[in-house]
Amino acid sequence: MSYVDDVLAMIEKRDANEPEFLQTVREVLNSLRPMIEKNEEHYRKEALLERLTEPEKLHEFRVPWVDDNGQAHVNRGFRVQFNSAIGPYKGGLRFQPSVNLSVMKFLAFEQMFKNSLTGLPIGGGKGGSDFNPKGRSDAEIMRFCQSFMTELYRYIGPDEDCPAGDMGVGGKEIGYMYGQYKRIVGEYKNGALSGKPIPFGGSVGRDTATGYGATYFVEELFKDLGKTIKGTTFCLSGFGNVCWGATKKISELGGKVVAISGPDGYVYDPDGINTPEKIDYLVEMRNSRRDRVQDYSDKFTSAEFHAGQKAWGRVNADVYMPCAMQNDIRIEDAKRIDEEGHSKIIIEVANMPTTQEAVDFFLEKGYILAPSKAVNAGGVACSEFEMSQNAMKLSWTAEEVDEKLHRTMANIYHNITDAAKKYGMEGNMVAGANLAGADKIIQAMEGQGIC
Ligand code: 2IT
């Protein structure tokens, strides 16, 4: 058996109860074959893939907190510090009931390749909790964040590990966590967290960076396809921060977002989500913590709500952009998209939003599929810009940040398409992203000896 097969067999046995982690490891290792096979014995001797797939450190802790009625609760907190070969651990915190060790390890593993793709000096990490913010008051959120940080503080720092937001964690939560961190460590080290509000060290443009970055990636891809965002229709999923940023930039560039979704179903707005009132309402929906997309169609009569359904293959659009969470597009959704014949372009924005079966289906059918670890890297890139500004104790203008973000996304697009070409996988951006991301990490790991 090949080295990749041996390592996959070992991990499938050892981490058999971690389905999301296994899914991403299988995808990545399979696409690294052309690189590994060139020098297989060397990598085997160095246990390179065993080291690449094992987190450097893994922290799990109890998070006790008290709700507004005086009832105590206990949640599980995590921080996975996957790889620090190219920089301090970096990655978001997710507060969502589906969080568990497997989900944390999958997100941290993806993050390490994504961070490498940005070209910036950041390693990979991820954290969070199975805490559900839905329906919680501000006071409850604050107490939870303070309790979470009371454990997390020992593992983070500007040169050690810098968490940011993810699902369920925005500027408000990061602010509460930073306040608690500062009290415990007794120093103003605001580079220990990114995604902060602007008055205490946040970067302008961090809130829109993931969605804008994804749109800039599409712009770059469209140059090669001879298309423009202007006049193109987009079907998105989710209604959170990433979906909001993408919708804002797409509509600014003359494109039209016609669908978004939530846990309750999807909303179709044939007029487009393209006025400031509609776009701002997404923020209001998120801040309400109702976790309900039907609120949009209740407010805007141009929209129809479809309860309990996904928009995939049901909404006519030129581009499909999943912006919600993992495994959103499954094989049955992929087949429906194909049968309806709407769109041949899938732009992943959420982390791992397409199942492996659906990815294989799209690639076989000749779809253009852009992988999330490239497309959504603008968020973490801007987080690194925030770390840089904090370290220098100064702040950049919106124009400087946007220019850097633009350049980063264009570079990522060209690096992944070049890597695919270099290893004989031309046109396969999924493989290209894994190969380009891994290349730098592997070089860094090799340069630092067996560690
Ligand atoms: O998935 C992601 O890239 C994030 N949640 C953002 C990570 C970061 O450190 O900004």
Side-chain angles (χ1 to χ4, degrees):
M1 284 223 297
S2 77
Y3 176 43
V4 170
D5 291 323
D6 286 340
V7 174
L8 277 177
M10 182 274 290
I11 298 172
E12 288 186 10
K13 200 166 154 211
R14 187 159 73 179
D15 297 329
N17 55 351
E18 296 173 3
E20 292 85 1
F21 179 61
L22 286 179
Q23 184 181 339
T24 174
V25 167
R26 273 189 211 114
E27 183 216 289
V28 171
L29 293 200
N30 277 322
S31 59
L32 296 188
R33 283 179 197 274
M35 177 193 282
I36 300 297
E37 282 163 8
K38 276 191 173 166
N39 215 345
E40 186 168 281
E41 285 322 304
H42 165 74
Y43 289 133
R44 191 192 283 273
K45 185 149 184 272
E46 300 229 316
L48 206 273
L49 294 180
E50 290 88 333
R51 288 189 287 133
L52 191 70
T53 51
E54 186 67 9
E56 288 176 13
K57 276 168 268 175
L58 223 162
H59 309 284
E60 189 181 321
F61 45 91
R62 182 170 73 192
V63 189
W65 58 283
V66 179
D67 71 20
D68 289 344
N69 299 319
Q71 175 65 52
H73 300 261
V74 172
N75 283 96
R76 215 167 249 184
F78 298 92
R79 187 70 184 167
V80 179
Q81 299 179 323
F82 219 103
N83 190 296
S84 62
I86 60 179
Y89 310 108
K90 179 93 199 81
L93 298 170
R94 174 175 293 192
F95 291 171
Q96 227 262 331
S98 69
V99 162
N100 57 37
L101 185 60
S102 170
V103 168
M104 291 284 100
K105 282 177 67 180
F106 123 63
L107 288 165
F109 188 72
E110 286 279 301
Q111 193 80 43
M112 123 170 104
F113 297 101
K114 177 195 316 194
N115 293 2
S116 168
L117 283 175
T118 64
L120 302 165
I122 38 180
K126 200 85 186 192
S129 173
D130 58 0
F131 171 72
N132 190 356
K134 185 173 173 176
R136 289 296 170 195
S137 70
D138 273 358
E140 288 172 325
I141 297 284
M142 182 178 75
R143 287 195 295 275
F144 179 82
C145 288
Q146 290 175 338
S147 181
F148 184 81
M149 184 52 80
T150 302
E151 277 305 322
L152 184 70
Y153 87 93
R154 21 181 135 250
Y155 313 121
I156 67 172
D159 297 313
E160 190 177 356
D161 183 355
C162 174
D166 193 85
M167 292 175 74
V169 179
K172 182 175 258 174
E173 290 76 13
I174 291 290
Y176 292 149
M177 286 192 263
Y178 180 61
Q180 183 75 350
Y181 177 76
K182 187 176 58 129
R183 289 171 76 196
I184 298 173
V185 302
E187 278 181 84
Y188 206 93
K189 292 200 285 190
N190 60 2
L193 285 164
S194 68
K196 297 179 293 294
I198 308 280
F200 48 98
S203 175
V204 285
R206 176 62 188 90
D207 57 346
T208 48
T210 314
Y212 281 20
T215 312
Y216 297 156
F217 184 97
V218 173
E219 262 190 313
E220 206 61 27
L221 165 69
F222 272 18
K223 283 184 197 161
D224 275 354
L225 301 177
K227 287 179 179 293
T228 55
I229 292 197
K230 193 173 165 57
T232 297
T233 52
F234 294 79
C235 170
L236 272 53
S237 65
F239 66 85
N241 168 267
V242 175
C243 175
W244 164 74
T247 301
K248 206 163 138 83
K249 185 52 84 176
I250 288 169
S251 80
E252 197 183 303
L253 297 175
K256 192 156 99 172
V257 172
V258 293
I260 54 173
S261 73
D264 49 331
Y266 77 90
V267 153
Y268 175 57
D269 185 348
D271 291 356
I273 305 174
N274 47 15
T275 61
E277 197 196 357
K278 286 177 172 178
I279 294 171
D280 290 347
Y281 194 62
L282 301 190
V283 180
E284 226 177 291
M285 281 160 62
R286 178 158 37 98
N287 290 343
S288 77
R289 296 196 198 101
R290 283 158 58 85
D291 208 13
R292 198 170 173 269
V293 80
Q294 193 181 355
D295 289 355
Y296 181 93
S297 53
D298 288 349
K299 182 157 170 89
F300 300 107
T301 49
S302 55
E304 2 170 304
F305 174 65
H306 297 263
Q309 283 191 333
K310 291 184 178 185
W312 315 130
R314 296 192 172 99
V315 163
N316 192 357
D318 304 313
V319 176
Y320 278 144
M321 267 174 103
C323 303
M325 63 188 284
Q326 66 269 14
N327 296 331
D328 183 359
I329 302 185
R330 298 178 165 274
I331 187 65
E332 59 274 20
D333 303 309
K335 286 187 174 154
R336 195 181 323 105
I337 291 173
D338 196 56
E339 276 155 24
E340 294 303 320
H342 295 315
S343 161
K344 289 270 181 208
I345 304 176
I346 314 286
I347 308 290
E348 292 188 341
V349 194
N351 292 308
M352 200 170 77
T354 319
T355 63
Q356 188 62 50
E357 213 182 341
V359 169
D360 293 341
F361 177 84
F362 285 134
L363 292 177
E364 247 161 58
K365 295 265 179 184
Y367 279 64
I368 290 167
L369 177 68
S372 52
K373 59 171 80 66
V375 176
N376 75 26
V380 74
C382 194
S383 269
E384 199 276 349
F385 302 159
E386 183 172 331
M387 292 168 77
S388 297
Q389 293 168 75
N390 295 157
M392 293 189 287
K393 300 188 195 298
L394 49 78
S395 40
W396 299 340
T397 63
E399 291 71 30
E400 281 174 279
V401 171
D402 197 55
E403 194 269 324
K404 286 182 169 65
L405 176 63
H406 229 125
R407 201 158 9 108
T408 302
M409 297 316 298
N411 284 342
I412 292 175
Y413 173 72
H414 293 290
N415 287 344
I416 71 170
T417 44
D418 289 351
K421 226 179 270 173
K422 177 176 165 192
Y423 290 101
M425 315 279 294
E426 190 159 355
N428 185 337
M429 288 188 276
V430 176
N434 291 330
L435 287 158
D439 188 48
K440 182 178 175 189
I441 300 167
I442 290 175
Q443 284 187 47
M445 286 173 73
E446 293 212 280
Q448 292 170 37
I450 307 295
C451 62

